[in-house]
Amino acid sequence: MTSHPAPPAHDVLPPRYEWDGFGFDTRQVHAGETAEPGHNARITPVYLSAAYRFDSFAQAEGRFTGAEEGQLYSRNLNPTHQVAERRIASLEGGPGAIVVGSGQAAITAALLGLAGAGERIVATASIYSGTRILFDRSFARFGVGTDYVRDPRVADQWEAAITPQTKAIFVETIPNPKNDLVDIPAVAAIARRHGIPLVVDNTVATPYVSRPLADGADIVIHSSTKFLSGHGAALSGAIVDGGSFDWNASDRDYPGITDAPAPGKPSYVEAFGERAFEAYLRFGIVNDLGAALSPINSFLLQQGIETLSLRMERHLANAETVAAWLEGHPAVESVDFAGLPGNEYHDIAQRRFGGRAGSVFAFTVRGGRAGAETFFDGLQVFSRMTNIGDVRSMALHPATTTHVSFPADERERLGIGDGLIRLSIGIETVDDLIADLDQALGRVSA
Ligand SMILES: Cc1ncc(COP(=O)(O)O)c(C=O)c1O
């Protein structure tokens, strides 16, 4: 027979599961966890179950209507996802979030949740090339048009782009490759004045550097494939509902959120309050589009988030050192990094992000395309690859890759020259990164 130790004479406190008010580093490790009912597993398990058993007839109905929170089908909820969702919501400072299969899926779901055929989005022109292609190719085919703002610092450009059909404003906190930072509070003020939700892609900044919801944005999206995961092993995306947009008050009409989803049913606003947009995505758009995340990928995402702040500190420090070093190199024409004094976005970096500008930026090598090719082919520590934001350093030549389908005049307007190289600075020993860049640049000047 097993003998049990005597119970202690004092109370044994239960583990904590509420993390509101705790520090960022504590929340990135713990927020969102719930007690694991099976074996007390300390790490949230990978729940590989497409669907879930209902206890009763009444529970099945409650889960379908959303009246009862709980598992239903992994296309819109999964216990592994739930932890990642709560953790990302906690770090971004929103009441709720939903994870999906990729960053592109997050952007698609969030924006198609706001705009339909005949309606429009206003976006900054320098957003991630894949998002521009998504808007200009697929969204355009669906009848959702996009109006681009070239310089988000110029208020008149916003006023000219916004029309009565505009249903969403979309910007990135730190666009790449040009590191042309966006002043989120300034854009949020414009969006608020027009009663339009501001959607911010916070992929490159991460909530460690910038929290757009606190700056007046309404919805945050992530390609959590990037810094939130950090390992580069799996795609994922997230949408955080800021809970602040007054859907009923806007005269722009968001019927999917404010009207009854079925005769006699409450609207998402009535049923879910500040989490109306999240619920609308979960039970409506994301469920319809089927852009579900694999539970294995949300497990990997959670593992990554646990070390976000530590990795970001190294990313940020390495990027600053590398950018300053590149600026002084004779084979380098210019460096597009807002962390450098003299850069035209330096004041935004100072004012908004404590002088930091992420770790994805560009520089122009002398010799145009030939110089870029020689440099690129000489890299050994930096990986020649697309992707950003994982622990390893990566380089890419945008003009012949991410932006190759852009017309030449548009590439020129975006500053994507033939000698431009994009870097995503990893967490390696910075001297090794500089040595690699030095020897590759040496081949250009030789
Ligand atoms: C800023 C940004 N947003 C969204 C995406 C799309 O994300 P995903 O590749 O996870 O679909 C990317 C991908 O590079 C990105 O850099």
Side-chain angles (χ1 to χ4, degrees):
M1 225 175 86
T2 319
S3 66
H4 294 284
H10 51 266
D11 289 343
V12 177
L13 300 182
R16 172 176 283 281
Y17 291 107
E18 276 305 321
W19 298 99
D20 285 358
F22 280 74
F24 188 96
D25 305 83
T26 306
R27 284 180 290 120
Q28 75 185 0
V29 174
H30 296 289
E33 285 172 350
T34 50
E36 195 275 298
H39 305 282
N40 244 344
R42 184 62 192 86
I43 305 301
T44 302
V46 180
Y47 284 92
L48 276 174
S49 188
Y52 307 85
R53 190 179 269 161
F54 303 121
D55 287 341
S56 66
F57 184 94
Q59 189 179 65
E61 185 182 22
R63 296 272 165 93
F64 266 78
T65 59
E68 181 191 300
E69 201 177 339
Q71 305 303 326
L72 161 65
Y73 191 64
S74 282
R75 198 163 66 218
N76 65 1
L77 190 62
N78 169 286
T80 312
H81 294 359
Q82 221 164 6
V83 179
E85 288 169 349
R86 291 180 184 146
R87 192 163 296 172
I88 293 169
S90 170
L91 298 182
E92 286 288 2
I98 179 165
V99 290
V100 289
S102 68
Q104 287 300 84
I107 295 167
T108 302
L111 293 176
L112 293 185
L114 299 170
E119 298 176 334
R120 307 189 69 77
I121 295 160
V122 169
T124 37
S126 69
I127 50 174
Y128 163 57
S129 56
T131 310
R132 276 208 57 172
I133 295 168
L134 166 69
F135 292 170
D136 296 342
R137 183 166 57 194
S138 297
F139 276 28
R141 275 195 59 227
F142 302 155
V144 177
T146 309
D147 299 295
Y148 291 107
V149 167
R150 294 260 156 219
D151 188 341
R153 297 167 295 184
V154 181
D156 285 354
Q157 293 195 11
W158 290 102
E159 299 305 329
I162 293 169
T163 68
Q165 285 72 44
T166 307
K167 295 308 227 22
I169 294 180
F170 180 84
V171 304
E172 293 176 356
T173 334
I174 303 182
N176 87 79
K178 299 291 283 185
N179 209 247
D180 44 342
L181 311 190
V182 172
D183 187 349
I184 301 294
V187 181
I190 294 165
R192 204 171 307 119
R193 199 163 58 246
H194 288 274
I196 303 170
L198 173 61
V199 183
V200 178
D201 181 337
N202 202 32
T203 298
V204 177
T206 83
Y208 185 65
V209 171
S210 166
R211 285 186 281 284
L213 298 177
D215 289 339
D218 302 292
I219 294 157
V220 165
I221 79 100
H222 276 277
S223 166
S224 41
T225 312
K226 312 293 192 292
F227 293 95
L228 288 183
S229 289
H231 37 60
L235 297 186
S236 58
I239 306 157
V240 185
D241 184 353
S244 52
F245 192 77
D246 191 339
W247 303 102
N248 285 319
S250 170
D251 57 11
R252 292 196 177 246
D253 212 19
Y254 297 93
I257 308 165
T258 57
D259 295 359
K265 301 287 181 204
S267 72
Y268 287 110
V269 171
E270 286 160 349
F272 294 95
E274 63 171 7
R275 292 175 69 177
F277 189 65
E278 177 207 337
Y280 169 55
L281 292 176
R282 194 180 294 289
F283 295 106
I285 304 293
V286 167
N287 192 54
D288 293 349
L289 295 179
L293 182 62
S294 157
I296 293 175
N297 289 9
S298 65
F299 174 84
L300 292 170
L301 168 58
Q302 273 175 62
Q303 295 289 304
I305 294 172
E306 293 179 358
T307 56
L308 176 66
S309 62
L310 307 180
R311 285 184 284 108
M312 286 310 292
E313 279 300 334
R314 177 64 71 85
H315 279 296
L316 296 165
N318 278 2
E320 253 180 68
T321 306
V322 168
W325 179 84
L326 280 170
E327 204 179 28
H329 196 284
V332 171
E333 261 174 31
S334 57
V335 180
D336 295 304
F337 183 62
L340 292 172
N343 180 281
E344 62 173 316
Y345 298 94
H346 189 62
D347 70 309
I348 300 181
Q350 295 286 23
R351 241 181 325 112
R352 303 302 324 157
F353 312 133
R356 296 174 294 190
S359 65
V360 184
F361 64 92
F363 74 97
T364 299
V365 66
R366 289 199 192 283
R369 179 183 164 129
E373 187 172 353
T374 306
F375 165 79
F376 195 69
D377 286 344
L379 291 169
Q380 290 190 299
V381 177
F382 279 73
S383 300
R384 288 180 283 273
M385 63 186 285
T386 192
N387 205 13
I388 55 171
D390 79 45
V391 291
R392 65 218 93 239
S393 292
M394 299 171 263
L396 195 69
H397 182 245
T400 52
T401 58
T402 51
H403 292 72
V404 72
S405 67
F406 286 46
D409 60 340
E410 181 59 12
R411 270 208 302 272
E412 199 179 324
R413 275 199 293 270
L414 292 170
I416 310 294
D418 288 341
L420 191 86
I421 299 282
R422 180 182 79 184
L423 299 178
S424 177
I425 303 296
I427 65 169
E428 302 97 330
T429 305
V430 74
D431 291 347
D432 295 332
L433 300 180
I434 287 176
D436 194 38
L437 294 170
D438 198 27
Q439 61 81 21
L441 284 169
R443 291 158 50 110
V444 177
S445 21

